[in-house]
């Protein structure tokens, strides 16, 4: 038997804050489907994944072009994206090994995704770096906002979802 959306919300409210931010309304519970009510959120999640892959590619591109020696090219070309993947897996992935709070997740996203934009600048494409940075900021802001807003519940004046008890 599947839990009702109200039961899911009670479970989410009972979770520690570090766990709740990752699981808020991203559930397999058929009674609570964020993507069915907001299909554009799914499109933004696909964009987020593509931005993450682009950041890794840009870090690798930068690494293979920086420095003069072949060994440095290989070290940075493989090491920079590998370091980003490890950071992401530990702190920012939906099923991260460690479950830090939102500030740490956003810091890791800024380092990895911002590092991708900085890498584009580092290889000589300042306009491309600005475009990537704007996409990263907009995509992350939209994704993090709507991951915390359940479907059918508007945001209150302070930017937090209104509770069913409040009206």
């Amino acid at each position: 038997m599947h839990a009702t959306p109200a039961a899911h919300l009670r479970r989410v409210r009972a979770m520690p804050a570090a766990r709740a931010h990752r699981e808020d309304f991203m559930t397999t519970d058929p009674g609570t489907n964020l993507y069915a009510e907001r299909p554009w959120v799914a499109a933004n999640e696909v964009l987020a994944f593509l931005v993450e892959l682009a950041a890794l590619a840009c870090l690798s591109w930068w690494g293979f072009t920086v420095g003069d020696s072949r060994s440095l090219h290989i070290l940075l070309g493989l090491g920079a994206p590998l370091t980003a993947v490890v950071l992401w897996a530990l702190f920012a992935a939906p099923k991260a090994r460690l479950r830090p709070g939102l500030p740490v997740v956003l810091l890791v996203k800024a380092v990895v995704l911002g590092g991708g934009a900085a890498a584009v600048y580092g290889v000589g494409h300042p306009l491309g770096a600005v475009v990537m940075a704007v996409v990263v900021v907009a995509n992350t802001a939209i994704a993090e906002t709507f991951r915390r807003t359940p479907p059918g519940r508007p945001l209150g004046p302070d930017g937090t979802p209104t509770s069913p008890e409040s009206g």
Side-chain angles (χ1 to χ4, degrees):
M1 172 170 251
H2 297 291
T4 66
H8 173 70
L9 290 175
R10 282 191 298 275
R11 282 194 314 273
V12 169
R13 284 189 194 120
M15 286 182 205
R19 253 189 87 218
H21 86 275
R22 282 199 175 29
E23 297 178 14
D24 281 1
F25 317 109
M26 294 293 187
T27 178
T28 57
D29 181 357
T32 306
N33 190 342
L34 178 64
Y35 299 138
E37 291 188 32
R38 298 179 185 164
W40 53 270
V41 173
N44 193 62
E45 292 294 331
V46 169
L47 177 61
F49 179 68
L50 295 175
V51 167
E52 294 159 15
L53 291 179
L56 295 176
C58 292
L59 287 168
S60 185
W61 180 22
W62 169 82
F64 280 117
T65 60
V66 72
D68 292 327
S69 72
R70 180 177 291 268
S71 58
L72 185 61
H73 288 177
I74 293 170
L75 178 68
L76 292 175
L78 298 176
L82 181 61
T83 302
V85 166
V86 169
L87 279 173
W88 198 272
L90 287 174
F91 301 106
K95 295 185 180 190
R97 300 292 266 164
L98 305 174
R99 301 226 179 234
L102 182 59
V104 174
V105 172
L106 292 177
L107 177 65
V108 170
K109 287 184 176 191
V111 167
V112 172
L113 301 176
V120 172
Y121 183 83
V123 295
H125 296 281
L127 182 60
V130 169
V131 169
M132 184 168 180
V134 168
V135 170
V136 163
V137 169
N139 176 263
T140 302
I142 291 168
E144 293 301 328
T145 298
F146 287 102
R147 286 177 184 154
R148 284 158 185 69
T149 306
R153 288 182 53 207
L155 293 177
D158 62 349
T160 59
T162 58
S163 68
E165 295 85 25
S166 67

